[in-house]
Amino acid sequence: MPTPPYRLIADELRRRILSGELAPGDTVPGENALVAQYSVAAETARKALGVLAAEGLTEARRGSGTRVREFRPILRQATKRLAAAQWAQGRSIWQADLDQRPMSVDSLTVTEQPCPEHVAAALGLEPTEPVWVRDRRYLVEGQAVMLSTSYLPARLVAGSAITAPDPGPGGIYARLAELGLGPVRFREQVRARMPLPDEAAALGLALGAPVVLIVRYAYSEDGLPVEVNEMVLDASRYLLEWEFPA
Amino acid sequence: MPTPPYRLIADELRRRILSGELAPGDTVPGENALVAQYSVAAETARKALGVLAAEGLTEARRGSGTRVREFRPILRQATKRLAAAQWAQGRSIWQADLDQRPMSVDSLTVTEQPCPEHVAAALGLEPTEPVWVRDRRYLVEGQAVMLSTSYLPARLVAGSAITAPDPGPGGIYARLAELGLGPVRFREQVRARMPLPDEAAALGLALGAPVVLIVRYAYSEDGLPVEVNEMVLDASRYLLEWEFPA
DNA sequence: GAGTGGTCTAGACCACATT
DNA sequence: ATGTGGTCTAGACCACTCA
């Protein structure tokens, strides 16, 4: 089974991208160029370009052309309190090129709802017990990079500033602490997969861009879960980090 | 800009999959069925099926058909020593369906090499100082699920069992401890992206399956990095977990 | 052998961006 | 206006699986 032409073309273009011959931002040879160069039908050239786009290496813009994408990740340090200077020795393999632009929030909504089934089990609630839901979207320079949905049991947080759009200084964890529920431990579970259409739309994702799903469980001193936070991240924009003792 | 037919067809099939009407393992309507049902050309029907495959929802097999994929993740608990029973309260949103089959290793190689540039900086080594490289592939029931490459400075580990294929009881961390380099802290950095062709081949990945990259840095009591471990995981097979204090 | 997915072609029309 | 990518068609050949 010989390698089909569209793959050979894709392989060649990929090689040129990974070798740096085609740098981030550069325009990749278009359909017409490939048709002329390799003597194939336009559809075949398109398919080759589609492979690169699906791999997340390029980004096509109608009317303009196809360009090499760049990877400038935001460093998310989940355990940053532990990241003492003494452990800073040893560079990161990826850390060269970090996106340091400030992050903002748009479309924040805070509502009281019956608890979704899958969250109820995690919070130890009855199926439709009320929860406060905090929904937000994070942007970097107008570009959405993360969606976040927090669930907090209504019977624990009712009447607190947690139910207000602005929970005040220190955020909801400071308010939880004031209620004697101060989270003392977190558990984060992480998956990666291709986005569903609505996720792709909400994050403005290019083709071939996977998402990272993080679910954070916050526990109080009693060992009770007090918050579940579901996050959806544009994988191409994030470098995630955890530190922990042996 | 009306939604093109191939997307409408894909949307409908996706709905049926996500609603559970088409369960994991079920056969999805094929090209011919879609051509007949929607009165479109075969290529258009194929493209619709291609969308689902690229989203990782289905898996096509030549001669057989296209089936709904299943997600049975392996739970990787990076900080499992911390996962005391007291914090076990609160179920996971995803934990319902874990893959509990045993993991095995094949194609283990241990060699001494000049240190690759990107690793040298992380280990604080001169550009081509020698390192021992431990390369392995992990399987679950014959299916590759993870690739792992460990780098250890030769001047630290030369002569120890770390340079042998079988490092003995407790693995390389036990040997490092005996050398007074026992890792006391770890840092893990995580990314997700689409696989390169060689990664896809080594892991036997289906189309539309992203990979998760993990780089683990192990630090000795002195704060010196003693190991860098680069891992490539089949994202569809893993659920990653970290626990940490507030 | 019938049915399935995988690839290719030649030609067509459209939407959009740049000049 | 020209060139770019996005979609569709009708027909073809191949490789594989399954009954």
Side-chain angles (χ1 to χ4, degrees), chain A residues 3 19 22 25 27 29 36 42 44 52 67 74 86 106 115 123 135 145-146 157 166 192 196 203 206:
Chain A
T3 306
S19 76
L22 289 170
T27 299
T44 304
L52 298 184
R67 287 179 180 72
I74 301 157
Q86 68 192 90
D106 81 334
C115 190
L123 285 173
D135 233 308
V145 296
M146 177 171 89
V157 303
D166 179 359
L196 300 176
L203 288 171

Side-chain angles (χ1 to χ4, degrees), chain A residues 90-95 239-244, chain B residues 76 78 118-119 122-123 146-151 173 186-193 212-219 225 227-233 240 242:
Chain A
R91 293 248 180 83
S92 162
I93 287 176
W94 291 317
Q95 216 147 335
L239 174 56
L240 310 172
E241 182 176 284
W242 287 267
E243 293 210 356
F244 52 96
Chain B
R76 174 189 187 270
H118 68 289
V119 175
L123 285 173
M146 177 171 91
L147 313 173
S148 165
T149 306
S150 256
Y151 301 90
Y173 291 145
F186 298 102
R187 178 164 62 126
E188 293 191 328
Q189 292 191 332
V190 177
R191 285 183 57 193
R193 60 161 168 74
V212 171
L213 308 181
I214 305 180
V215 180
R216 177 168 59 211
Y217 307 87
Y219 295 94
E227 185 217 13
V228 171
N229 189 347
E230 295 187 290
M231 293 164 261
V232 182
L233 287 65
L240 310 173
W242 287 269

Side-chain angles (χ1 to χ4, degrees), chain B residues 31-32 43 46 63-64 66:
Chain B
E31 294 178 23
N32 298 3
E43 279 290 352
R46 284 189 48 67
S64 183
T66 301

